[in-house]
């Protein structure tokens, strides 16, 4: 990973509650994925998406570590988005996953006006990729649970008859989120999605959403641009 254009953060030389091993692993994986992304894809062997699961007790430094990693990778051109599950709100697990993607849509929408020229161009490419990958009905369905999509693609007409649906089925939601992610991965920037406190998520949502999501992205031609990181408290797993 090149740090020529940025200030190398000395904070990465410190010990985060004894987590230098995990820090090294995350940065090694991200460096490898970035190197593949920046090279000629036709000369690279097939590479699957990568997932890292980081465990530890409360206060062991895993969340702080990922915050710092995310901040650093963002300066290297990564799109980094994070969300967390909450204790006692397992019933809202699907909403947490949708919020993760909503934050991603907001990051992309904000790039249109508040970022660099490269960010603005990336935002426009992402907008086109989503519009090309999803028909108007699918965009309307997805915008119900990812409302910041309306700021990224501002010509979605939510009044169209196709958009009227009380509840998305879980399978349809997973399919649309996969389409959303794969469209973004077509645009030459690596993406890191982080979900914290997995021990408080509904098990069905983890199996359905994360399992299917990682599977659908994992074998794609742009899988080398995707890194998923999950954090959980191993002493609180049921």
């Amino acid at each position: 990973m090149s740090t020529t254009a940025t200030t190398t953060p000395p904070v990465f030389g410190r010990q985060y509650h004894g987590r230098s091993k995990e820090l090294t692993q995350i940065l090694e994986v991200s460096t490898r994925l970035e190197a593949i992304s920046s090279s000629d894809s036709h000369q690279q062997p097939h590479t699957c998406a990568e997932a890292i699961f980081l465990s530890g007790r409360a206060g062991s430094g895993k969340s702080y570590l990922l915050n710092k990693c995310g901040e650093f990778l963002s300066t290297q051109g990564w799109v980094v988005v994070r969300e967390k599950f909450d204790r006692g709100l397992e019933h809202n697990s699907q909403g947490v996953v949708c919020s993760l993607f909503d934050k991603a849509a907001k990051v992309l929408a904000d790039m249109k006006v508040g970022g660099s020229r490269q960010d603005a161009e990336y935002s426009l490419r992402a907008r086109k990729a989503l519009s090309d990958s999803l028909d108007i009905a699918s965009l309307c369905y997805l915008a119900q649970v990812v409302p910041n999509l309306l700021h990224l693609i501002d010509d979605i007409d939510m009044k169209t008859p196709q958009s009227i649906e009380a509840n998305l089925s879980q399978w349809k939601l997973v399919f649309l989120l996969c389409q959303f992610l794969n469209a973004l991965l077509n645009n030459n920037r690596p993406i890191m999605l982080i979900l914290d406190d997995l021990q408080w998520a509904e098990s069905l949502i983890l199996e359905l959403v994360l399992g299917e999501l990682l599977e659908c992205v994992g074998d794609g031609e742009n899988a080398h641009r995707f890194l998923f990181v999950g954090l959980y408290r191993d002493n609180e797993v049921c």
Side-chain angles (χ1 to χ4, degrees), residues 43-54:
Q43 297 179 4
Q44 290 290 341
H46 178 73
T47 305
C48 294
E50 303 224 25
I52 296 173
F53 293 89
L54 188 61

Side-chain angles (χ1 to χ4, degrees), residues 8-238:
T8 303
V11 72
F12 278 109
R14 299 178 187 168
Q15 293 279 332
Y16 285 120
H17 298 274
R19 290 197 171 273
S20 59
K21 179 180 178 180
E22 290 89 343
L23 173 62
T24 300
Q25 180 187 13
I26 293 169
L27 294 181
E28 283 180 349
V29 170
S30 63
T31 299
R32 182 170 65 253
L33 295 180
E34 185 177 341
I36 296 173
S37 296
S38 61
S39 63
D40 185 351
S41 60
H42 297 292
Q43 297 179 4
Q44 290 290 341
H46 178 73
T47 305
C48 294
E50 303 224 25
I52 296 173
F53 293 89
L54 188 61
S55 64
R57 293 173 178 267
S60 61
K62 56 189 183 300
S63 296
Y64 183 69
L65 171 72
L66 259 295
N67 279 338
K68 290 301 181 182
C69 282
E71 290 173 6
F72 173 66
L73 291 177
S74 293
T75 68
Q76 305 299 298
W78 284 67
V79 176
V80 180
V81 188
R82 178 181 176 181
E83 190 53 277
K84 63 178 296 184
F85 296 97
D86 293 314
R87 184 196 298 268
L89 295 177
E90 290 84 356
H91 62 280
N92 189 43
S93 295
Q94 179 173 302
V96 172
V97 174
C98 291
S99 178
L100 179 71
F101 282 84
D102 192 45
K103 287 184 176 182
K106 185 179 188 304
V107 169
L108 296 173
D110 289 346
M111 284 181 177
K112 290 194 300 184
V113 293
S116 64
R117 179 177 60 83
Q118 291 83 0
D119 286 342
E121 291 174 351
Y122 175 74
S123 179
L124 290 175
R125 292 198 305 272
R127 180 188 188 279
K128 184 178 186 305
L130 288 167
S131 298
D132 291 345
S133 300
L134 296 166
D135 59 27
I136 184 61
S138 296
L139 287 171
C140 289
Y141 290 141
L142 192 56
Q144 294 179 72
V145 292
V146 184
N148 275 304
L149 192 60
L150 297 172
H151 299 293
L152 178 62
I153 308 176
D154 48 20
D155 57 353
I156 299 177
D157 184 5
M158 293 299 291
K159 296 180 180 179
T160 58
Q162 299 98 315
S163 68
I164 301 174
E165 181 172 298
N167 293 293
L168 285 171
S169 71
Q170 288 184 331
W171 282 109
K172 185 165 188 176
L173 175 61
V174 170
F175 172 77
L176 292 178
L177 293 179
C178 287
Q179 293 288 95
F180 179 98
L181 183 55
N182 275 317
L184 298 186
L185 292 172
N186 279 326
N187 287 282
N188 300 325
R189 281 200 185 187
I191 296 174
M192 175 191 279
L193 297 184
I194 304 168
L195 276 175
D196 200 348
D197 286 328
L198 294 176
Q199 76 280 354
W200 292 331
E202 182 182 1
S203 59
L204 178 61
I205 292 298
L206 288 181
E207 294 173 9
L208 181 64
V209 177
L210 295 186
E212 292 298 321
L213 190 66
L214 292 174
E215 182 176 346
C216 78
V217 173
D219 291 329
E221 60 179 296
N222 296 306
H224 56 275
R225 298 193 182 107
F226 180 59
L227 173 60
F228 173 81
V229 181
L231 292 81
Y232 65 97
R233 301 179 185 180
D234 50 4
N235 62 315
E236 297 186 35
V237 175
C238 298

